[in-house]
Amino acid sequence: MAEFSLIGKSVPRVDGVEKVTGKAGYAADFSLPGMLWCKLVRSPYAHARIVNIDASRALRLPGVKAVVTGKDFGGWTWGWMPATRDEPPVAVDKVRYWAEAVAGIAAIDEDTAEEACDLVDVEYEELPGVFDPEEAMKDGAPAVHDYAENNISVQYHWNFGDVEKAFADAYIVREDRFATSRATKGYIEPPATLAYYDPSGYITVRAAKQSPYFHYRHLAACFKLPLSRVRVIQPYIGGGFGGTKNDSLAGDFCAVLLSKMTGKPVKYVESMEEELTTSRRRHNMITYSKMGATRDGIITAIQHKVIADGGGYTAVGPLSLYLAGFGTTLPYKLDNFKYDGYRVFTNNPMGAAMRGHGVTHTRFAAECQMDMIADELGMDRLEIRMKNSIDNPAPGTTYTTINGVTLKTCGMKEAFRQVAEPYWHERNELPKKEGNISWGVGVSGAPYLTGARQMGHQACAAIIRLCEDGTVNLITGATDCGQGSDTVLAMIAAEELGIPVSAVISQKVDTSYTPADPGSYGSRVTVLGGQAVQKAAQEVKKQLVEVAAQTWKVKPEDVDIRDGMVFVASDPDKQMPFDRMARVACYSGTGAVIMGTGYSTYGLEPLGMESGYGNAGVSYSFTAQTARVGVDLETGQLTTQSFTIASDCGRMLNPLLAEGQIEGGAIQGLGQAIYEDFIMDKGRTLNPTFVDYKMPHSVDIPEMKLIDVETNDPDGPYGAKEASEASHVSTPPAVICAIHDAAGVWIKEQPATPEKIVKALKEKAKEKAQK
Amino acid sequence: MKSIKLEINGVQHEVEVAPWRTLLEVIREELQMTGTKEGCGLGECGACSVLMDGKTVNSCLVLAAEANGKRITTIEGLAQAERLHPIQQSFIDNGGFQCGFCTPGMIMSTKVMLDDNPNPTDDEIKKGISGNLCRCTGYAKIFDSIRAAKVAMAASSDGRGGA
């Protein structure tokens, strides 16, 4: 791509050396002199009234410095929207899920803090609990929150077109129940923080947060301080994927309060068992899906009733439920759509955001059901998708869905074309059966949004300062939690300024100095942050060009910068290396301060959560995927042999990083499809370890072939859109449709474990025998 | 408390440890070498992998007292001054990590694998890191990194990535 010197190139990560040498500092790697350790006392009940807490025995243990309970936070509660602030930092009067924190301890070391936890006497009065969201909605079910009638945390009712008429007119109508599992983000770095409440009234924390500005606001509100007295410094982040590391945890709040009480810095590192027991996991959602189609396989109507297990508090649930509805009108044309969504409180751990947020649940249902319809019509499963796919709008035009989602680019059809030959069509030439293994191929399509909106501000800004040695400081509020945004943003700055990436020095988020930014979620950083950086860099370039024009007594429009040189194209005598021109600017006369600022202007429409109408993001990515899977017909054991993934992510700014995102998203999706689920017993997570909560290991990985479908979206820097969340969403249906192709059984509840497959095969055999 | 001797990355250390302290805790907390990470603390994720007398161990499962007199290599001991080990360079060049938290352990496991078997097949590569969880990459670029590292190491003068 001659038009760019860096964009589109596989530039290695800017944080590479730090990460491969062990120098990158994550939250738990920081320590301060005199530091205390915090541990939490957690509830042994999923639903119970707290009658009394007596910490006197714990306080008498040598080395214990302070204990906090829920009451010490003065009744403050928090939540995602003003109307849903139902969560205290630490439980006050009652606990609503198993292992909810009820007290925090500060001691001289972690072992002492842990020992002291056992010495806190908490008197509970156990309450009847409710653990199934459909049971929780029934009259007379135990109430998790008094304010929520029938335990309904949030509900939406949207109706576009006329589904009743469409179903009446349809040649074929199917109704099925699908369910997704209790999957979790599964990052390897457990949440951690090092907090110091300075006696003069300033909070400084280093915390593992993918959205540090959320935490900044939570702490200021909780401790009733002006924002300027809260400083969140972002360390390296060991993976995010939504949910827990977006939000603030009991350990975060306790560490700050314990620091305030003791005057010492306090460190909190969650154990992986605590993380997996209490983490804000993906909502498991039940989708009752009704789909109608014509004899030719045109999908005419979808009606979804979704019931989401929200767990004990609201958290980000309103957005999860909204996204589960909004996404159903993509990536296929649809004239009639009805959505009734219910997020329900139970005494399970909280359901919250995770990669593929919301969309994954209903897309799984719709993709499987499309195959069922295609099979009944005797139609090829790829053909039904090609027939229904939204076309790529002609440049300058927009496609609008029935619920007001607008697309300027859509590579869905092209992506299907790319996986068709040879991957889809050659499947019949590959062996269908080898011993007990029956092979099948599945195909799926999925959308995802770029730049999810929240209810609050969308701010995304950048500051670039030119230094006198010709480097630039790049300052943004964006957090790289592994996705590579520090690298991509540095590339954008370097591209615009005509300098190498090594001349861009990126600063990590420090809420005292970096511009406010909601954080890293909803695939927003590359596009929104990228535009901000692009504008800031253009501003710096303009100022430096003006200096050059004055120096050379030419017009600014005659000066350009490329490959580290400032030059006048028409006059070979007028050229100077970038760093020298930077010195000219900084040292001439009074000396200039060259600094550029920019902010994103994308995605300013308000989010239509009640109406369900309008955009959820700035632009939309699309993925087509095939999966070849072998099913052992005796044991139900699966072999995932290959994935082909064609992605329209607008333009890949850095193919090495974008591919890594797509592959990582797909494999996380594979985990959700066939392995991952928390086994629950009355609110208690029975498998809170990485052995029992099985995630994909190196030996489980299929061959992956990636295909880039470039569409160049006008609403993204250099045409970029989201990468990875669509492949995360397309994987579970591709795999589960492949299982059906292989073994003739539909596994409508994720994950498709060997046990479920064997059971389905037995039922199928029984039905066959009865016929 | 027990006094133990550890040779870590060629440097002798003598530390007083409680009997229940793990090698990981001693490395990270007593000696302040935080390159080795704690993920699960139960030997399931491999983030804390270090070399003990040339073999990979989950340092969270090894009691410090058991490591008495042993030779330990951590991620900090791999690069020679400014010069990265070929495995480290290969992970950078091939996108073998994202968040980087599993990376120190992943690289240590790779080192043992390639030291034991300089020319592993793709299946052997998969098995060689099967004790190390990575949630970000989907492993594909880790496999690429290891394949490239084995070529780079074979080309080095001692066949093990040395100068």
Side-chain angles (χ1 to χ4, degrees), chain B residues 78-162:
Chain B
L78 223 52
Q80 291 172 353
E82 297 287 288
R83 204 172 66 86
L84 295 179
H85 188 279
I87 298 171
Q88 293 172 312
Q89 190 60 51
S90 179
F91 270 68
I92 295 177
D93 295 342
N94 294 281
F97 54 89
Q98 291 180 21
C99 82
F101 196 81
C102 74
T103 310
M106 194 67 81
I107 287 177
M108 297 318 282
S109 290
T110 301
K111 179 165 180 354
V112 172
M113 178 194 346
L114 294 180
D115 283 349
D116 289 351
N117 175 8
N119 191 22
T121 62
D122 284 359
D123 266 355
E124 286 167 340
I125 288 175
K126 287 186 172 187
K127 288 195 185 103
I129 55 161
S130 60
N132 294 77
L133 274 176
C134 168
R135 189 59 154 176
C136 295
T137 62
Y139 302 94
K141 302 239 178 299
I142 296 179
F143 302 152
D144 291 347
S145 302
I146 298 173
R147 282 191 283 259
K150 92 178 175 186
V151 174
M153 283 170 72
S156 68
S157 60
D158 62 358
R160 295 169 67 110

Side-chain angles (χ1 to χ4, degrees), chain A residues 645-721:
Chain A
I645 304 168
S647 297
D648 159 23
C649 47
R651 182 202 293 273
M652 285 189 178
L653 302 186
N654 180 327
L656 184 71
L657 299 190
E659 285 168 17
Q661 286 301 296
I662 293 164
E663 289 160 350
I667 296 304
Q668 205 175 26
L670 174 65
Q672 180 185 317
I674 66 174
Y675 304 127
E676 296 179 34
D677 193 12
F678 283 123
I679 312 297
M680 306 298 294
D681 178 29
K682 294 190 172 55
R684 181 173 182 172
T685 304
L686 297 183
N687 54 338
T689 69
F690 283 144
V691 163
D692 297 324
Y693 180 90
K694 152 93 171 134
M695 305 199 297
H697 282 242
S698 54
V699 290
D700 305 316
I701 305 307
E703 286 297 317
M704 283 188 272
K705 180 167 175 59
L706 305 191
I707 301 164
D708 179 22
V709 175
E710 193 169 296
T711 54
N712 278 319
D713 199 276
D715 292 337
Y718 317 99
K721 303 196 280 192

Side-chain angles (χ1 to χ4, degrees), chain A residues 241-242 513 615 674:
Chain A
F241 313 115
Y513 304 106
N615 280 304
I674 66 174

Side-chain angles (χ1 to χ4, degrees), chain A residues 94-236:
Chain A
K94 81 172 190 173
V95 291
R96 293 182 170 85
Y97 62 93
W98 200 88
E100 184 172 359
V102 296
I105 304 223
I108 49 164
D109 55 42
E110 205 173 10
D111 291 342
T112 308
E114 217 166 284
E115 194 183 338
C117 286
D118 293 338
L119 300 175
V120 176
D121 298 304
V122 187
E123 196 187 322
Y124 297 95
E125 178 198 328
E126 195 179 358
L127 299 169
V130 62
F131 307 101
D132 177 307
E134 292 183 285
E135 291 297 317
M137 290 170 79
K138 291 181 182 160
D139 288 337
V144 179
H145 288 273
D146 293 337
Y147 77 84
E149 207 177 320
N150 291 96
N151 286 311
I152 293 171
S153 143
V154 192
Q155 57 183 312
Y156 300 124
H157 302 282
W158 311 335
N159 200 349
F160 301 101
D162 187 346
V163 288
E164 293 308 326
K165 183 173 181 306
F167 287 131
D169 294 345
Y171 174 76
I172 182 169
V173 175
R174 271 204 71 100
E175 291 187 63
D176 297 275
R177 180 187 190 271
F178 298 90
T180 47
S181 66
R182 301 164 199 277
T184 198
K185 289 85 57 187
Y187 36 65
I188 315 297
E189 180 208 25
T193 188
L194 174 58
Y196 182 47
Y197 195 118
D198 187 306
S200 61
Y202 288 86
I203 296 172
T204 305
V205 303
R206 283 184 169 78
K209 300 291 169 200
Q210 67 187 91
S211 300
Y213 285 90
F214 283 0
H215 193 44
Y216 159 76
R217 292 195 168 88
H218 295 156
L219 292 180
C222 179
F223 293 93
K224 300 183 176 49
L225 289 173
L227 284 165
S228 54
R229 291 193 172 216
V230 177
R231 183 175 177 196
V232 179
I233 304 171
Q234 181 219 312
Y236 280 89

Side-chain angles (χ1 to χ4, degrees), chain A residues 50-99:
Chain A
I50 300 170
V51 179
N52 186 47
I53 301 180
D54 178 1
S56 54
R57 284 200 304 145
L59 282 164
R60 281 200 298 272
L61 183 74
V64 171
K65 299 295 177 189
V67 178
V68 294
T69 67
K71 290 202 169 93
D72 296 317
F73 291 92
W76 182 77
T77 55
W78 64 288
W80 186 66
M81 297 195 298
T84 63
R85 288 183 183 148
D86 55 18
E87 188 178 354
V90 171
V92 181
D93 299 320
K94 81 172 190 173
V95 291
R96 293 182 170 85
Y97 62 93
W98 200 88

